[in-house]
Amino acid sequence: MSLLTVDSLDAGYGELQILYDVDLFVDDAEYVTVVGPNGAGKSTVMKSVFGLTTYMGGSIEYQGVEISGLDPEEIIHEGVGYVPQTDNVFAPLSVRENLEMGAYIRDSVPEAAFEQVYDRFPILRERADQEAGTLSGGQRQMLAMGRALMLDPDLLLLDEPSAGLAPDLVDEMFDRIDRITDAGTAVLMVEQNAKEALRRCDRGYVLVNGRNRYVDSGEALLDDEQVRRDFLGG
């Protein structure tokens, strides 16, 4: 049984359907990437798994339990973390307060949870008392991921983690995601930097117009001449 199974998913916003019969799965500790042209529905897949879209049909199962129709708080309780592309930190709050918000469903937050995040992102320890809004773009992205990891989820959803980062920070961000998966957390990621995402992931999906177009290992998709020509710039 896969950790996450999306089967024949139809979803959108209000009455506007974006996804049509989308299938994908993520196994334990697996690194899966969704790529495709702008407007393909990539972020809608992510938001649908996290209960942020209008569910129209199909199924979404997490650890064998149907989660389509659940709200985000219920999905967090199931063991899923989510990092949106924008507005992903509370700017007026300190770094530590942001991390506390990541574990808001707990009555109290054990210090070990902070330490685990600080070990993954040492800069957050250094900036623990600093307002999140004053961090650099790369540091804010680390904080957003750290907050989502405060409950030690089995699956982390990442929506365009490299968006807006300076080119010299993109490799560092991908390296940190690699370490998250190496530590046993499965990752489902939507990413604009398709070549680098496919180079690092276990399996990739190419979405076009809200539908599955290709699925294979990241390496195989990079080697596919049609995929390279149509979606990766040759």
Side-chain angles (χ1 to χ4, degrees):
M1 181 179 65
S2 294
L3 183 66
L4 175 73
T5 303
V6 177
D7 183 30
S8 301
L9 177 64
D10 297 331
Y13 305 96
E15 296 183 357
L16 177 63
Q17 186 170 353
I18 303 295
L19 303 180
Y20 299 84
D21 290 327
V22 169
D23 299 322
L24 66 81
F25 68 93
V26 181
D27 287 333
D28 287 335
E30 194 176 28
Y31 187 173
V32 176
T33 295
V34 182
V35 300
N38 290 337
K42 303 184 297 296
S43 290
T44 303
V45 171
M46 194 76 63
K47 292 175 182 177
S48 296
V49 172
F50 202 63
L52 295 171
T53 63
T54 302
Y55 168 72
M56 298 175 177
S59 70
I60 306 171
E61 290 189 356
Y62 181 71
Q63 296 186 330
V65 176
E66 183 69 33
I67 63 170
S68 54
L70 298 185
D71 63 35
E73 183 169 342
E74 291 173 303
I75 292 171
I76 289 173
H77 278 276
E78 293 293 331
V80 179
Y82 171 58
V83 181
Q85 179 181 350
T86 59
D87 300 323
N88 54 19
V89 299
F90 298 101
L93 301 183
S94 71
V95 166
R96 184 179 175 91
E97 288 168 337
N98 267 270
L99 295 178
E100 287 176 351
M101 292 296 293
Y104 76 97
I105 64 173
R106 288 179 168 174
D107 293 331
S108 62
V109 186
E111 194 62 31
F114 291 102
E115 289 301 316
Q116 186 176 35
V117 170
Y118 290 151
D119 287 345
R120 284 174 164 168
F121 307 103
I123 190 65
L124 300 184
R125 188 195 307 272
E126 296 176 24
R127 305 296 174 87
D129 297 323
Q130 184 172 330
E131 286 188 7
T134 65
L135 299 175
S136 70
Q139 291 165 357
R140 286 197 300 272
Q141 193 66 288
M142 290 180 211
L143 176 56
M145 287 196 288
R147 193 179 69 220
L149 290 167
M150 282 293 288
L151 292 173
D152 195 21
D154 294 314
L155 174 64
L156 183 63
L157 309 175
L158 298 175
D159 192 354
E160 303 277 11
S162 76
L165 295 184
D168 60 335
L169 296 177
V170 171
D171 280 346
E172 180 184 356
M173 183 58 62
F174 279 116
D175 288 344
R176 292 185 182 279
I177 296 168
D178 288 345
R179 289 197 285 274
I180 289 170
T181 58
D182 288 345
T185 301
V187 167
L188 175 61
M189 179 177 71
V190 166
E191 179 50 48
Q192 60 179 358
N193 191 335
K195 287 183 179 179
E196 186 65 15
L198 292 174
R199 186 177 73 81
R200 293 175 181 254
C201 73
D202 297 310
R203 190 172 62 262
Y205 292 83
V206 180
L207 247 61
V208 181
N209 295 326
R211 294 177 168 86
N212 291 93
R213 178 65 65 87
Y214 299 96
V215 56
D216 212 324
S217 68
E219 182 179 358
L221 290 173
L222 283 173
D223 290 340
D224 188 300
E225 182 178 348
Q226 188 78 33
V227 172
R228 290 203 314 272
R229 183 172 62 248
D230 291 349
F231 305 107
L232 304 179

